[in-house]
Protein backbone atom coordinates (compact mmCIF):
# COMPACT_ATOMS: atom_id res chain seq x y z
CA UNK A 1 0.00 0.00 0.00
CA UNK A 2 1.15 3.53 -0.70
CA UNK A 3 1.97 5.99 2.05
CA UNK A 4 -0.97 8.02 3.33
CA UNK A 5 -1.18 11.47 1.83
CA UNK A 6 -1.35 14.33 4.29
CA UNK A 7 -4.56 16.35 4.15
CA UNK A 8 -4.76 20.03 4.93
CA UNK A 9 -7.86 21.96 6.09
CA UNK A 10 -8.04 25.61 7.14
CA UNK A 11 -11.59 25.72 8.46
CA UNK A 12 -13.89 23.21 10.05
CA UNK A 13 -16.20 21.60 7.55
CA UNK A 14 -14.03 22.52 4.56
CA UNK A 15 -13.27 19.75 2.06
CA UNK A 16 -9.81 18.38 2.70
CA UNK A 17 -7.30 18.74 -0.13
CA UNK A 18 -4.21 16.54 -0.52
CA UNK A 19 -0.90 18.06 0.40
CA UNK A 20 1.73 18.29 -2.38
CA UNK A 21 4.62 15.81 -2.11
CA UNK A 22 7.48 16.94 0.02
CA UNK A 23 10.52 18.35 -1.70
CA UNK A 24 13.36 15.93 -2.28
CA UNK A 25 11.09 12.92 -2.66
CA UNK A 26 11.77 11.03 -5.97
CA UNK A 27 8.88 10.88 -8.44
CA UNK A 28 7.04 7.60 -8.70
CA UNK A 29 8.14 5.27 -11.57
CA UNK A 30 5.07 5.10 -13.80
CA UNK A 31 4.39 2.53 -16.52
CA UNK A 32 5.17 5.09 -19.21
CA UNK A 33 8.58 5.90 -17.71
CA UNK A 34 9.31 2.22 -17.25
CA UNK A 35 8.49 1.52 -20.91
CA UNK A 36 10.74 4.37 -22.06
CA UNK A 37 13.51 3.05 -19.81
CA UNK A 38 13.38 -0.39 -21.43
CA UNK A 39 12.95 0.83 -25.01
CA UNK A 40 15.68 3.50 -24.88
CA UNK A 41 18.72 1.12 -25.18
CA UNK A 42 17.27 -0.66 -28.21
CA UNK A 43 16.28 2.64 -29.80
CA UNK A 44 19.72 4.12 -29.26
CA UNK A 45 21.34 1.01 -30.74
CA UNK A 46 19.04 1.21 -33.77
CA UNK A 47 19.93 4.85 -34.29
CA UNK A 48 23.65 4.14 -33.94
CA UNK A 49 23.68 1.09 -36.25
CA UNK A 50 21.13 2.06 -38.92
CA UNK A 51 20.04 5.69 -39.01
CA UNK A 52 23.40 7.36 -38.39
CA UNK A 53 25.31 5.36 -41.08
CA UNK A 54 22.53 6.14 -43.57
CA UNK A 55 22.69 9.87 -42.82
CA UNK A 56 26.49 9.81 -42.93
CA UNK A 57 26.43 8.03 -46.30
CA UNK A 58 23.98 10.64 -47.55
CA UNK A 59 26.39 13.39 -46.51
CA UNK A 60 29.38 11.66 -48.12
CA UNK A 61 27.47 11.14 -51.37
CA UNK A 62 27.62 14.91 -51.99
CA UNK A 63 31.41 15.04 -51.50
CA UNK A 64 34.54 13.71 -53.16
CA UNK A 65 35.64 12.02 -49.92
CA UNK A 66 38.15 9.19 -50.16
CA UNK A 67 39.15 6.95 -47.27
CA UNK A 68 42.82 7.00 -48.32
CA UNK A 69 43.21 10.68 -49.16
CA UNK A 70 44.03 13.15 -46.46
CA UNK A 71 42.45 16.52 -46.04
CA UNK A 72 38.85 17.62 -45.81
CA UNK A 73 36.31 16.51 -48.39
CA UNK A 74 35.03 19.03 -50.92
CA UNK A 75 31.38 19.29 -51.82
CA UNK A 76 30.55 18.22 -55.37
CA UNK A 77 26.79 18.32 -54.69
CA UNK A 78 25.04 16.17 -57.33
CA UNK A 79 28.20 15.44 -59.30
CA UNK A 80 28.45 11.85 -58.07
CA UNK A 81 24.81 11.14 -58.87
CA UNK A 82 25.13 12.64 -62.35
CA UNK A 83 28.24 10.59 -63.09
CA UNK A 84 26.54 7.39 -61.94
CA UNK A 85 23.28 7.88 -63.83
CA UNK A 86 25.08 8.75 -67.08
CA UNK A 87 27.72 6.00 -66.89
CA UNK A 88 27.57 3.21 -69.46
CA UNK A 89 29.29 0.88 -67.00
CA UNK A 90 26.54 1.40 -64.46
CA UNK A 91 23.91 0.68 -67.10
CA UNK A 92 25.64 -2.60 -67.91
CA UNK A 93 25.81 -3.61 -64.22
CA UNK A 94 22.16 -2.67 -63.79
CA UNK A 95 21.20 -4.85 -66.76
CA UNK A 96 23.20 -7.75 -65.33
CA UNK A 97 21.49 -7.31 -61.97
CA UNK A 98 18.06 -7.16 -63.61
CA UNK A 99 18.68 -10.36 -65.58
CA UNK A 100 19.87 -12.09 -62.45
CA UNK A 101 16.91 -10.93 -60.31
CA UNK A 102 14.29 -11.84 -62.90
CA UNK A 103 15.87 -15.19 -63.72
CA UNK A 104 16.58 -16.29 -60.16
CA UNK A 105 13.34 -15.10 -58.55
CA UNK A 106 11.20 -16.36 -61.43
CA UNK A 107 12.79 -19.81 -61.35
CA UNK A 108 12.56 -19.96 -57.55
CA UNK A 109 8.89 -19.01 -57.62
CA UNK A 110 7.95 -21.69 -60.14
CA UNK A 111 9.98 -24.44 -58.47
CA UNK A 112 9.06 -23.42 -54.93
CA UNK A 113 5.33 -23.34 -55.62
CA UNK A 114 5.48 -26.63 -57.53
CA UNK A 115 7.30 -28.41 -54.71
CA UNK A 116 4.95 -26.94 -52.11
CA UNK A 117 1.91 -28.05 -54.12
CA UNK A 118 3.23 -31.60 -54.43
CA UNK A 119 4.10 -31.78 -50.73
CA UNK A 120 0.69 -30.43 -49.69
CA UNK A 121 -1.00 -33.33 -51.49
CA UNK A 122 0.86 -35.90 -49.44
CA UNK A 123 -0.49 -37.20 -46.15
CA UNK A 124 2.57 -39.14 -45.02
CA UNK A 125 6.14 -37.91 -44.71
CA UNK A 126 5.20 -34.27 -45.26
CA UNK A 127 7.24 -33.04 -42.29
CA UNK A 128 10.32 -35.03 -43.29
CA UNK A 129 10.19 -33.81 -46.89
CA UNK A 130 9.76 -30.21 -45.78
CA UNK A 131 12.75 -30.47 -43.45
CA UNK A 132 14.97 -31.98 -46.16
CA UNK A 133 14.05 -29.24 -48.63
CA UNK A 134 14.82 -26.54 -46.05
CA UNK A 135 18.43 -27.68 -45.52
CA UNK A 136 19.97 -25.50 -48.31
CA UNK A 137 18.33 -22.38 -46.91
CA UNK A 138 19.90 -23.01 -43.49
CA UNK A 139 23.45 -22.97 -44.87
CA UNK A 140 25.63 -19.88 -44.97
CA UNK A 141 25.95 -18.25 -48.42
CA UNK A 142 29.74 -18.47 -48.10
CA UNK A 143 29.54 -22.22 -47.49
CA UNK A 144 27.14 -22.60 -50.40
CA UNK A 145 29.44 -20.59 -52.67
CA UNK A 146 32.51 -22.67 -51.79
CA UNK A 147 30.54 -25.89 -52.10
CA UNK A 148 29.30 -25.05 -55.60
CA UNK A 149 32.63 -23.62 -56.72
CA UNK A 150 34.22 -27.03 -56.17
CA UNK A 151 31.29 -28.78 -57.85
CA UNK A 152 31.40 -26.51 -60.92
CA UNK A 153 35.17 -26.62 -61.32
CA UNK A 154 36.04 -27.16 -64.99
CA UNK A 155 38.69 -29.84 -64.32
CA UNK A 156 37.84 -31.54 -61.04
CA UNK A 157 34.18 -30.65 -60.51
CA UNK A 158 31.51 -33.27 -59.87
CA UNK A 159 29.18 -31.77 -62.47
CA UNK A 160 31.68 -32.13 -65.31
CA UNK A 161 32.55 -35.63 -64.11
CA UNK A 162 28.88 -36.59 -64.48
CA UNK A 163 28.79 -35.01 -67.93
CA UNK A 164 31.91 -36.94 -68.90
CA UNK A 165 30.38 -40.23 -67.74
CA UNK A 166 27.43 -39.49 -70.05
CA UNK A 167 29.73 -38.87 -72.99
CA UNK A 168 29.29 -35.11 -73.00
CA UNK A 169 31.95 -32.45 -73.23
CA UNK A 170 32.92 -30.62 -70.02
CA UNK A 171 31.59 -27.10 -69.58
CA UNK A 172 33.49 -24.14 -68.16
CA UNK A 173 30.68 -23.07 -65.86
CA UNK A 174 32.36 -20.19 -64.03
CA UNK A 175 34.93 -19.03 -66.59
CA UNK A 176 32.73 -18.39 -69.64
CA UNK A 177 30.52 -15.37 -70.01
CA UNK A 178 27.53 -17.32 -71.29
CA UNK A 179 27.48 -19.81 -68.43
CA UNK A 180 28.79 -17.80 -65.46
CA UNK A 181 25.60 -15.81 -64.90
CA UNK A 182 23.49 -18.94 -65.44
CA UNK A 183 25.58 -20.72 -62.81
CA UNK A 184 24.91 -17.91 -60.34
CA UNK A 185 21.17 -18.16 -61.00
CA UNK A 186 21.24 -21.94 -60.51
CA UNK A 187 23.17 -21.72 -57.24
CA UNK A 188 20.93 -19.01 -55.83
CA UNK A 189 17.86 -21.01 -56.91
CA UNK A 190 19.20 -24.11 -55.17
CA UNK A 191 19.63 -22.22 -51.91
CA UNK A 192 16.53 -20.02 -51.81
CA UNK A 193 13.82 -22.08 -53.52
CA UNK A 194 12.96 -23.54 -50.06
CA UNK A 195 12.04 -20.03 -48.89
CA UNK A 196 9.36 -19.70 -51.58
CA UNK A 197 8.31 -23.30 -50.94
CA UNK A 198 7.84 -22.69 -47.21
CA UNK A 199 5.63 -19.63 -47.68
CA UNK A 200 3.64 -21.29 -50.47
CA UNK A 201 3.16 -24.39 -48.32
CA UNK A 202 1.81 -22.24 -45.49
CA UNK A 203 -0.67 -20.69 -47.90
CA UNK A 204 -1.71 -24.04 -49.35
CA UNK A 205 -2.37 -25.58 -45.94
CA UNK A 206 -4.50 -22.54 -45.00
CA UNK A 207 -6.94 -23.02 -47.89
CA UNK A 208 -10.28 -24.19 -46.44
CA UNK A 209 -10.99 -27.86 -47.13
CA UNK A 210 -14.69 -27.30 -47.67
CA UNK A 211 -13.98 -25.48 -50.92
CA UNK A 212 -12.34 -28.58 -52.36
CA UNK A 213 -15.16 -30.73 -51.02
CA UNK A 214 -17.75 -28.53 -52.71
CA UNK A 215 -15.78 -28.68 -55.96
CA UNK A 216 -15.60 -32.48 -55.70
CA UNK A 217 -19.36 -32.68 -55.24
CA UNK A 218 -19.79 -30.58 -58.41
CA UNK A 219 -17.34 -32.97 -60.16
CA UNK A 220 -14.90 -30.18 -60.93
CA UNK A 221 -11.65 -31.20 -62.60
CA UNK A 222 -8.26 -30.97 -60.91
CA UNK A 223 -7.21 -28.10 -63.17
CA UNK A 224 -10.44 -26.20 -62.45
CA UNK A 225 -9.89 -26.53 -58.68
CA UNK A 226 -6.31 -25.38 -59.02
CA UNK A 227 -7.21 -22.41 -61.23
CA UNK A 228 -10.25 -21.18 -59.30
CA UNK A 229 -9.48 -22.16 -55.69
CA UNK A 230 -5.81 -22.87 -55.01
CA UNK A 231 -4.03 -20.25 -57.08
CA UNK A 232 -6.26 -17.22 -56.25
CA UNK A 233 -6.03 -17.88 -52.50
CA UNK A 234 -2.26 -18.52 -52.44
CA UNK A 235 -1.30 -15.87 -55.00
CA UNK A 236 -1.18 -12.83 -52.62
CA UNK A 237 1.03 -14.68 -50.13
CA UNK A 238 3.24 -15.86 -52.98
CA UNK A 239 3.66 -12.29 -54.19
CA UNK A 240 4.89 -11.24 -50.74
CA UNK A 241 7.51 -14.01 -50.88
CA UNK A 242 8.56 -12.79 -54.33
CA UNK A 243 8.97 -9.27 -52.94
CA UNK A 244 11.32 -10.43 -50.18
CA UNK A 245 13.37 -12.56 -52.56
CA UNK A 246 13.62 -9.79 -55.16
CA UNK A 247 15.00 -7.37 -52.56
CA UNK A 248 17.56 -9.94 -51.41
CA UNK A 249 18.56 -10.83 -54.97
CA UNK A 250 18.98 -7.15 -55.83
CA UNK A 251 21.56 -6.88 -53.03
CA UNK A 252 23.47 -10.01 -54.06
CA UNK A 253 27.14 -9.90 -53.16
CA UNK A 254 28.41 -12.99 -51.35
CA UNK A 255 27.80 -15.58 -54.11
CA UNK A 256 29.37 -13.30 -56.71
CA UNK A 257 32.40 -12.74 -54.50
CA UNK A 258 32.91 -16.46 -53.83
CA UNK A 259 32.04 -17.96 -57.20
CA UNK A 260 33.16 -15.55 -59.93
CA UNK A 261 34.44 -12.28 -58.35
CA UNK A 262 32.45 -10.49 -61.02
CA UNK A 263 34.10 -12.33 -63.90
CA UNK A 264 34.83 -13.42 -66.47
CA UNK A 265 35.37 -9.81 -67.34
CA UNK A 266 32.39 -8.02 -65.83
CA UNK A 267 29.71 -10.47 -67.01
CA UNK A 268 28.58 -11.31 -63.46
CA UNK A 269 29.34 -8.01 -61.76
CA UNK A 270 26.14 -6.95 -60.05
CA UNK A 271 25.50 -3.49 -58.66
CA UNK A 272 26.33 -4.52 -55.10
CA UNK A 273 29.64 -6.04 -56.15
CA UNK A 274 30.42 -2.96 -58.24
CA UNK A 275 29.80 -0.74 -55.20
CA UNK A 276 32.22 -2.94 -53.25
CA UNK A 277 34.90 -2.44 -55.90
CA UNK A 278 34.37 1.31 -56.01
CA UNK A 279 34.49 1.65 -52.22
CA UNK A 280 37.16 -0.84 -51.15
CA UNK A 281 39.32 -1.28 -54.24
CA UNK A 282 39.09 2.18 -55.76
CA UNK A 283 38.58 3.97 -52.39
CA UNK A 284 36.08 6.38 -53.94
CA UNK A 285 34.00 6.62 -50.80
CA UNK A 286 31.84 9.53 -51.94
CA UNK A 287 30.90 7.83 -55.20
CA UNK A 288 30.21 4.54 -53.41
CA UNK A 289 27.94 6.35 -50.95
CA UNK A 290 25.99 7.81 -53.85
CA UNK A 291 25.63 4.31 -55.28
CA UNK A 292 24.25 3.10 -51.96
CA UNK A 293 21.73 5.94 -51.66
CA UNK A 294 20.50 5.37 -55.22
CA UNK A 295 20.07 1.65 -54.57
CA UNK A 296 18.07 2.38 -51.43
CA UNK A 297 15.84 4.79 -53.36
CA UNK A 298 15.28 2.24 -56.13
CA UNK A 299 14.27 -0.43 -53.61
CA UNK A 300 11.92 1.97 -51.79
CA UNK A 301 10.19 3.18 -54.97
CA UNK A 302 9.76 -0.30 -56.47
CA UNK A 303 8.56 -1.69 -53.14
CA UNK A 304 5.93 1.03 -52.79
CA UNK A 305 4.64 0.37 -56.31
CA UNK A 306 4.57 -3.35 -55.60
CA UNK A 307 2.70 -2.86 -52.32
CA UNK A 308 0.14 -0.68 -54.07
CA UNK A 309 -0.41 -3.49 -56.54
CA UNK A 310 -0.87 -5.93 -53.66
CA UNK A 311 -3.39 -3.65 -51.96
CA UNK A 312 -5.31 -3.25 -55.21
CA UNK A 313 -5.27 -7.01 -55.67
CA UNK A 314 -6.60 -7.47 -52.15
CA UNK A 315 -9.43 -4.99 -52.72
CA UNK A 316 -10.41 -6.68 -55.99
Amino acid sequence: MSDPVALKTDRPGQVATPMPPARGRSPRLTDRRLAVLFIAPALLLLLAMSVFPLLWALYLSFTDYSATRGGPAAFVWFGNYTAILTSAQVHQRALTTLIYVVGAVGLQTVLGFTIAYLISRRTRGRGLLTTLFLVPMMLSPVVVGLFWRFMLDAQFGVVNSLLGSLGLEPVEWLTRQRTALISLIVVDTWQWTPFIMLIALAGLTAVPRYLYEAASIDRASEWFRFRTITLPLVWPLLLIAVLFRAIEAFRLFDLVYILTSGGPGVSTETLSFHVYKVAFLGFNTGTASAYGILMVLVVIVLTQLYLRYLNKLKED
Side-chain angles (χ1 to χ4, degrees):
M1 296 180 62
S2 59
D3 297 336
V5 179
L7 301 179
K8 178 182 178 181
T9 57
D10 296 334
R11 300 176 182 177
Q14 185 181 1
V15 179
T17 57
M19 292 285 292
R23 294 183 178 179
R25 180 178 294 181
S26 60
R28 185 172 297 176
L29 188 62
T30 61
D31 292 340
R32 183 181 181 87
R33 292 176 179 175
L34 187 62
V36 172
L37 185 63
F38 279 106
I39 294 175
L43 184 60
L44 292 176
L45 183 62
L46 177 64
L47 292 175
M49 300 297 294
S50 299
V51 179
F52 174 74
L54 183 62
L55 296 178
W56 184 248
L58 180 62
Y59 162 73
L60 292 179
S61 65
F62 294 103
T63 67
D64 62 348
Y65 177 76
S66 176
T68 58
R69 187 180 66 242
F75 273 95
V76 295
W77 299 108
F78 291 96
N80 291 329
Y81 293 96
T82 304
I84 291 172
L85 296 176
T86 58
S87 174
Q89 295 181 353
V90 176
H91 298 165
Q92 179 63 35
R93 273 66 169 185
L95 179 61
T96 302
T97 305
L98 179 63
I99 294 173
Y100 169 79
V101 171
V102 174
V105 177
L107 190 59
Q108 291 166 25
T109 304
V110 173
L111 292 178
F113 182 77
T114 303
I115 295 172
Y117 183 74
L118 295 176
I119 292 178
S120 66
R121 296 175 60 86
R122 292 183 59 91
T123 57
R124 295 182 180 180
R126 181 185 300 180
L128 179 61
L129 285 175
T130 304
T131 303
L132 292 177
F133 277 111
L134 289 179
V135 170
M137 191 178 66
M138 300 177 185
L139 300 176
S140 170
V142 177
V143 175
V144 173
L146 293 173
F147 172 74
W148 277 95
R149 190 174 71 178
F150 291 132
M151 289 187 61
L152 297 176
D153 187 81
Q155 296 181 352
F156 309 105
V158 177
V159 176
N160 279 343
S161 297
L162 292 176
L163 293 178
S165 63
L166 296 176
L168 301 176
E169 294 293 330
V171 179
E172 297 180 0
W173 297 101
L174 302 178
T175 55
R176 293 183 59 186
Q177 293 186 357
R178 294 183 178 180
T179 57
L181 188 58
I182 297 177
S183 300
L184 280 176
I185 294 175
V186 170
V187 174
D188 191 77
T189 301
W190 179 83
Q191 184 178 15
W192 292 110
T193 294
F195 176 78
I196 304 289
M197 181 209 72
L198 187 63
I199 296 182
L201 186 60
L204 289 170
T205 55
V207 176
R209 294 292 98 185
Y210 67 84
L211 296 177
Y212 294 113
E213 295 173 358
S216 300
I217 294 175
D218 294 338
R219 296 183 179 181
S221 63
E222 188 70 25
W223 168 247
F224 181 83
R225 282 183 284 181
F226 174 81
R227 182 171 55 87
T228 59
I229 299 175
T230 304
L231 192 59
L233 293 179
V234 180
W235 185 246
L237 193 61
L238 197 62
L239 289 179
I240 295 176
V242 170
L243 174 63
F244 287 132
R245 277 303 308 139
I247 293 175
E248 288 295 324
F250 181 74
R251 300 187 299 110
L252 177 74
F253 171 78
D254 35 31
L255 285 182
V256 176
Y257 183 80
I258 297 297
L259 287 175
T260 63
S261 296
V266 293
S267 59
T268 60
E269 188 173 308
T270 59
L271 285 174
S272 296
F273 191 80
H274 183 63
V275 173
Y276 160 76
K277 291 176 62 176
V278 171
F280 297 102
L281 300 182
F283 298 103
N284 296 321
T285 311
T287 305
S289 300
Y291 270 110
I293 297 299
L294 286 175
M295 291 179 65
V296 170
L297 292 177
V298 168
V299 170
I300 291 175
V301 171
L302 294 181
T303 302
Q304 290 299 319
L305 295 176
Y306 196 85
L307 291 177
R308 287 186 179 182
Y309 170 74
L310 288 180
N311 292 331
K312 183 179 179 180
L313 185 66
K314 183 179 179 181
E315 292 176 356
D316 295 339

